[in-house]
Amino acid sequence: MTTTLSERVSQSAFDGSMLRVVLLMDLHEGAQQRFFEAYERLRHDIAAVPGHLGDQLCQSFENPSQWLITSEWESAPQYLAWVNSEAHAEQVKPLGACARSMRPLKFTVLRETGRRYDAPRAGFGARLQDGPRLGEGIVRHALTFTVKPGSEGKVAEILSSYSSPAARVDDHTRLLRTSLFMHGNRVVRAVEVQGDLTAALRHVSEQPEVRAVEQAINPYLEQDRDLSDPESARMFFMRAGLPAVHHVAAHGPQPDRITRHALFYPAKPGCGPLVARFLARQDENASKIPTSPVLSSSIFQRDDVVVRLLDVSGPADGRFAGGFGMDGPRDAAVLDRLLAGAPQAPHPMDLITDRRAPAQS
C-alpha cells in the first residue's frame, strides 16, 4: 500500500485516528503492592470513560522496577478530555506516588499488521491514521495559569527579567524556544523542544534562575503551589498543561523577518474542543494560500482555554486576519457563537518574552 506524507500538517488531534498512549514508569523500591492497588482502581475508573477501548499492564523482564501501561482510545480528543480533567488528576495521584519517574507518550495508529488484526475490527467507529505526517523533530507544549487580578504588571516584570536557562538538556534533548504571553491575568508559556519534552521541562524547572523566578511569582498565583514538593509540582504541571492539538507550517525558505503572535479564545462552557477543531480547519485552509503571511500555526487547548500561536512574515498588519482564514462573515459568525464574553473576537495576547536557543556550532 502506498502512503503519502502531509507536507504541512505535522500534528493533529482531529483526524479521527485511534490513539495509543504509553506510560513508562520506574517504581520506588517497595512500592509494587501499592502500585497494583492504584492500578486496579484506575483501570475500573477509566473503563467508563467515553472513547476508552482497553489497557495493558506490562513489566520489564530485564528490570522488574520498570513498568509500562498502554491504553487505546477511539480518538485523541476523547483521551485529552479525560487527561485534562480534574477527575484524572485525582485518579492518577496514587499511581504517581509509587513512581520515581513517569513518562507518557501519545501515538496515533497508522497501521495494524499481523494475525491478530487479520479480521476487521467491529463495534466502534475508530479508524487508522490516513498517512504519515512529515516530522521536524520538534515537540510543542504550553503551560497556562492565572495570577491575582491587579498583579499583572508585577508578574510581567518578573517573567521578563530572568536569564535564559541552558539550552542543552542531554545528548538527545535541547530546549529550542520559549515564548511567554499574557492576556489579562492569564499567563501562557509555549515551549519548543528537540527530543524528550519531559526531560526538558524537568531540566528547566531545576535551573537556579528559573527556580528564583517561580518562587518570586508564587505570591501572585490564584492557585497555590509548592514546586519544592514533588507531588505538588507534578499536580501543578498536570493542571497547567496546555497541550498542542494541531500544528501546520509552510516548508521551504523562511523570510528574514518573522514575528510571533498569540491569540486567546475564551470558549463558552464545553465548547473548547469545538473552537480548537474549527481553528485547525481554518489553518489547514489558510496554509494552502501561497500569499498567506502566516508561516506556521500551533493550536493549544485544554478544556475551554484555546490559544493560537502564529509565526507571521513581517508585522501583523491588515493581511493578518486574512492570513489565518477569517476573511468571511460566515466563519466569523460560527466562531462568534462558540466564544464567551463580549466582544467575542479572539483576544491578542501581549508578548512578554521570546527566547531562542543559540544555534549549535
Side-chain angles (χ1 to χ4, degrees):
M1 179 181 291
T2 302
T3 59
T4 58
L5 289 170
S6 170
E7 296 183 354
R8 291 181 179 271
V9 180
S10 60
Q11 180 179 0
S12 182
F14 304 119
D15 60 5
S17 304
M18 285 190 296
L19 187 73
R20 171 74 67 178
V21 181
V22 179
L23 180 62
L24 302 173
M25 303 183 65
D26 187 8
L27 299 189
H28 291 298
E29 185 177 354
Q32 186 163 290
Q33 185 58 41
R34 286 190 293 121
F35 170 71
F36 280 148
E37 294 169 357
Y39 173 76
E40 283 299 309
R41 291 193 298 271
L42 178 62
R43 76 175 183 89
H44 286 295
D45 290 338
I46 197 176
V49 176
H52 176 259
L53 301 177
D55 303 292
Q56 286 184 329
L57 176 64
C58 310
Q59 183 181 24
S60 169
F61 69 86
E62 295 175 319
N63 181 355
S65 69
Q66 291 181 341
W67 291 79
L68 176 71
I69 300 175
T70 68
S71 61
E72 191 174 61
W73 297 77
E74 288 187 25
S75 68
Q78 293 169 312
Y79 166 76
L80 291 172
W82 173 69
V83 81
N84 291 333
S85 67
E86 283 297 317
H88 166 265
E90 293 302 318
Q91 287 166 352
V92 302
K93 188 184 295 185
L95 208 66
C98 301
R100 296 188 189 93
S101 64
M102 297 173 63
R103 183 186 177 193
L105 302 169
K106 281 92 59 185
F107 301 86
T108 49
V109 181
L110 181 66
R111 293 288 181 269
E112 292 180 327
T113 58
R115 287 179 294 176
R116 65 175 295 188
Y117 300 113
D118 285 344
R121 286 176 176 244
F124 59 89
R127 64 181 180 86
L128 304 183
Q129 182 181 322
D130 290 334
R133 302 185 183 96
L134 186 63
E136 53 183 340
I138 296 177
V139 182
R140 294 173 174 83
H141 189 67
L143 298 172
T144 186
F145 52 88
T146 55
V147 297
K148 296 174 182 176
S151 69
E152 295 89 347
K154 182 62 177 178
V155 170
E157 179 184 346
I158 295 172
L159 292 174
S160 63
S161 62
Y162 69 97
S163 301
S164 299
R168 187 175 183 272
V169 178
D170 53 40
D171 291 341
H172 308 287
T173 301
R174 194 165 181 264
L175 183 65
L176 299 179
R177 190 171 184 177
T178 300
S179 304
L180 198 144
F181 294 86
M182 290 184 68
H183 171 70
N185 70 332
R186 179 167 295 280
V187 179
V188 172
R189 178 186 287 139
V191 297
E192 296 176 5
V193 172
Q194 184 180 60
D196 183 354
L197 173 65
T198 302
L201 294 178
R202 185 184 308 114
H203 163 79
V204 170
S205 68
E206 293 171 350
Q207 302 306 300
E209 57 270 33
V210 175
R211 282 181 175 269
V213 167
E214 300 293 353
Q215 187 69 27
I217 68 171
N218 274 346
Y220 305 108
L221 297 180
E222 285 198 310
Q223 187 172 39
D224 292 336
R225 67 180 184 184
D226 180 6
L227 296 183
S228 64
D229 174 52
E231 180 60 21
S232 177
R234 189 180 70 83
M235 294 301 293
F236 168 77
F237 285 112
M238 182 181 297
R239 291 190 170 103
L242 191 65
V245 294
H246 195 82
H247 176 74
V248 59
H251 292 275
Q254 299 290 295
D256 293 333
R257 185 180 180 190
I258 301 175
T259 55
R260 173 157 282 194
H261 308 268
L263 298 169
F264 172 55
Y265 297 79
K268 290 179 179 176
C271 291
L274 295 176
V275 172
R277 188 186 297 269
F278 173 83
L279 296 177
R281 186 167 60 249
Q282 296 299 314
D283 282 347
E284 291 188 37
N285 292 336
S287 71
K288 299 171 185 176
I289 303 173
T291 57
S292 171
V294 176
L295 303 174
S296 72
S297 173
S298 301
I299 298 169
F300 302 88
Q301 180 253 323
R302 177 191 178 95
D303 299 330
D304 295 324
V305 175
V306 183
V307 173
R308 196 184 209 176
L309 188 66
L310 299 164
D311 284 334
V312 180
S313 174
D317 56 19
R319 303 172 303 161
F320 189 56
F324 58 88
M326 291 302 296
D327 276 332
R330 181 177 179 182
D331 288 342
V334 171
L335 184 60
D336 186 69
R337 288 196 297 270
L338 296 174
L339 297 184
Q344 292 168 312
H347 303 294
M349 304 191 77
D350 296 325
L351 178 63
I352 305 302
T353 181
D354 186 26
R355 301 167 185 259
R356 291 174 180 264
Q360 290 180 297
S361 59

